[in-house]
Amino acid sequence: MRGGRHVAAVSGASFDLATGECLALVGESGCGKSVLASALLGLLPGNARTAGTAVIDGTDLLSADERTLARTVRGRRVGLVPQSPAAHLTPVRTVRAHLEETLRELAGTPRAELGRAAVAAAERAAFPPALLDRYPHELSGGQAQRAATALALVGDAPLLLADEPTTGLDRDLVHRTADELRRHTDDGRALLLITHDLAAAERIADRVAVMYAGRIVELSAAGRFFGRPGPRHPYARGLLAALPERDFTPVPGMPPELGALPDGCAFAPRCDRASGACGTAPRFEDGVACHHAEETDRA
């Protein structure tokens, strides 16, 4: 709820995610990507409401109570690399203390082995062991990001939600982080990668889901999406065209307010293919929600 009005931050999102698979969820800021991740872990504000199902190992995450989420889901079955890692770290505890507690609780590491295990966990996420005794406020944004990634990987949860895990990292560290997340996935776990970094997504994703105005508008194999024939939705094609190594042309216009969506297709006011048909909301069919998908295919 916002300003006394109900706002649908995410609507009709439907996908599956297999073990050993990475699904990249991409889209502009404010489209609902992080809200989706928060909903799966019961981390939405108290005035938020969810509907539908999200099942992992027989547990519906959307209907589970706080006790179940805290004791059997978070960290154990679903790990999280948060979008704002500094806000999720306890300010009066060092990174080492965070890691050692997580190793004890989730991995059952014996006390005598905690020091060595904490160093190994830090190195896994490219966090410098020399910084383990620093407090969160003493870390740069990129260092806090790597600390949060190290914590998320400790439990080897069957599903990992990585929300912008490469923010604040230089390109070399982006590659190292992405490759470690891919190794985590290849060991038989699932990864939902929420990212603005399409280069990182191209590096490790098996499939790509594109979200716009709270809805998934395209779901495609990564090879098709980043290669040929390319995305089918005009918005998805625009995201790729905005990359410096491609056309470096931004998507025109601004995303709509979720509380004031236009009638029909939410992307129509920004779309060069918009027509009268776009006054009706397109159905999500054959992996895309667009009245002009066939035209895009032919183009």
Side-chain angles (χ1 to χ4, degrees), residues 28-259:
E28 293 166 301
S29 295
C31 69
K33 304 187 303 296
S34 295
V35 171
L36 176 61
S38 296
L40 294 176
L41 284 173
L43 299 177
L44 292 173
N47 64 348
R49 297 291 181 268
T50 60
T53 58
V55 179
I56 178 171
D57 294 337
T59 298
D60 182 359
L61 301 179
L62 296 186
S63 62
D65 58 31
E66 174 59 25
R67 180 185 178 90
T68 298
L69 292 171
R71 294 196 173 192
T72 69
V73 174
R74 296 182 192 131
R76 290 172 171 80
R77 282 191 275 179
V78 184
L80 173 67
V81 181
Q83 184 179 31
S84 302
H88 284 72
L89 298 172
T90 304
V92 296
R93 307 190 71 193
T94 65
V95 176
R96 186 188 304 277
H98 280 89
L99 281 171
E100 290 186 351
E101 179 184 26
T102 305
L103 285 160
R104 283 197 308 269
E105 292 294 323
L106 298 185
T109 305
R111 185 174 297 275
E113 299 177 15
L114 285 175
R116 177 193 57 78
V119 170
E123 291 177 336
R124 183 180 180 187
F127 183 87
L131 304 183
L132 280 171
D133 293 315
R134 291 193 179 183
Y135 292 90
H137 73 274
E138 297 177 305
L139 303 176
S140 68
Q143 290 164 355
Q145 189 70 59
R146 282 174 279 164
T149 300
L151 288 165
L153 291 172
V154 163
D156 286 328
L159 171 61
L160 181 63
L161 306 180
D163 193 354
E164 303 291 355
T166 60
T167 297
L169 305 183
D170 62 34
R171 187 48 52 181
D172 179 62
L173 286 173
V174 167
H175 291 166
R176 290 179 63 182
T177 299
D179 291 347
E180 184 55 50
L181 293 174
R182 184 69 243 186
R183 280 191 288 272
H184 178 83
T185 307
D186 289 340
D187 286 339
R189 303 176 188 92
L191 170 63
L192 179 60
L193 174 66
I194 298 171
T195 186
H196 289 93
D197 191 339
L198 292 178
E202 183 176 10
R203 190 176 181 91
I204 67 171
D206 298 295
R207 289 187 297 154
V208 178
V210 181
M211 181 170 277
Y212 186 78
R215 296 179 180 272
I216 292 177
V217 297
E218 182 161 358
L219 184 59
S220 171
R224 174 192 174 112
F225 187 87
F226 291 107
R228 292 186 180 277
R232 304 177 66 202
H233 196 284
Y235 173 64
R237 297 181 77 88
L239 290 179
L240 282 184
L243 294 176
E245 61 270 26
R246 301 212 180 195
D247 296 341
F248 206 25
T249 303
V251 181
M254 295 293 292
E257 287 288 334
L258 293 179

Side-chain angles (χ1 to χ4, degrees), residues 269-297:
R270 306 173 69 186
C271 183
D272 60 4
R273 293 183 180 273
S275 67
C278 301
T280 302
R283 294 183 179 182
F284 189 88
E285 296 178 326
D286 192 26
V288 65
C290 179
H291 291 295
H292 301 287
E294 292 185 4
E295 296 173 26
T296 305
D297 287 342

